[in-house]
Amino acid sequence: MVAVSLRWADASVLSVASACPIVLNGCRSACPTGKPREAALYHFSKIRRGLAMNQQLILHPVIVMFILTGTVWLFMYIRRLVYILGNKIDAQSVATPELLNSVIPANINSPSNNLKNLFEVPVLFYALCLILILTQRVDEAYLYAAWTYVGLRIAHSAIHCTINIVMWRFIVYALSCLVLWLMVIRLALQMR
């Protein structure tokens, strides 16, 4: 006899033993009918839909986005400080964003603009990932989409902070937004 156990986030355990009846411990509350056989079928349907995967895997792309934001922040300060110190600019003369923008050239200020951008649309990505974990809906499709989104955001930041070719930046930005909105639409359809 071979037994398989799957742990669910609600701490219930589904035990299946070959050639034995299905024994459920605490799974009845998750099943709409509360009957053992229907509860087992309910959980097996979740497994088939890919919901049995580790829900915390969606945090990996989130952490990479945090690292990207920190990297852009660090790059911004390094470029600004090198420029300010190299040109012997008085720190008080750049005390406000307006004064800073009037003194520092656009190519030095690009990382600052990108950092601001990383606190706009990516906030929706963070919220979406949190909702996916809380609703136990993380599956392979969401993981691939999340990694695609993060890869596109990395490309966007690299373009924005270095060569800053607007058309390239726009295409990568638009693609990343498309991926994110497809994830949001998919979740909205699943939650109906």
Side-chain angles (χ1 to χ4, degrees):
M1 274 192 160
V2 178
V4 178
S5 292
L6 301 171
R7 292 220 169 255
W8 299 94
D10 64 357
S12 61
V13 177
L14 170 65
S15 300
V16 181
S18 60
C20 289
I22 296 173
V23 179
L24 298 171
N25 298 323
C27 291
R28 290 185 184 145
S29 62
C31 175
T33 65
K35 296 179 183 173
R37 181 158 169 64
E38 283 86 7
L41 293 173
Y42 174 80
H43 285 291
F44 285 129
S45 71
K46 286 178 76 174
I47 293 168
R48 263 197 315 270
R49 290 193 321 250
L51 298 174
M53 81 172 5
N54 182 351
Q55 299 295 297
Q56 293 183 357
L57 289 175
I58 199 77
L59 293 177
H60 295 167
V62 169
I63 291 167
V64 171
M65 282 296 295
F66 291 165
I67 293 168
L68 173 64
T69 303
T71 302
V72 170
W73 174 81
L74 185 63
F75 186 63
M76 175 194 70
Y77 275 107
I78 289 171
R79 287 196 69 184
R80 279 184 176 176
L81 288 175
V82 166
Y83 184 83
I84 289 171
L85 295 174
N87 291 297
K88 297 180 179 19
I89 298 171
D90 178 41
Q92 196 58 40
S93 69
V94 291
T96 66
E98 294 79 18
L99 291 172
L100 184 69
N101 289 336
S102 68
V103 173
I104 294 182
N107 66 325
I108 301 296
N109 232 8
S110 289
S112 172
N113 295 330
N114 186 253
L115 184 64
K116 291 173 195 166
N117 192 264
L118 287 170
F119 287 97
E120 294 169 353
V121 176
V123 173
L124 298 175
F125 175 72
Y126 301 139
L128 175 68
C129 291
L130 180 62
I131 291 168
L132 289 173
I133 289 173
L134 292 175
T135 60
Q136 299 288 302
R137 293 187 183 273
V138 176
D139 62 13
E140 283 185 12
Y142 282 121
L143 281 176
Y144 286 128
W147 280 114
T148 301
Y149 177 78
V150 170
L152 289 166
R153 291 307 308 205
I154 291 170
H156 177 266
S157 290
I159 293 167
H160 201 175
C161 292
T162 58
I163 57 176
N164 201 17
I165 297 173
V166 175
M167 206 56 206
W168 291 7
R169 198 177 86 207
F170 172 74
I171 290 168
V172 174
Y173 175 80
L175 288 173
S176 71
C177 287
L178 177 65
V179 169
L180 181 61
W181 289 117
L182 288 174
M183 291 173 71
V184 169
I185 291 168
R186 181 173 182 240
L187 178 63
L189 291 174
Q190 288 177 336
M191 302 274 299
R192 316 184 273 146

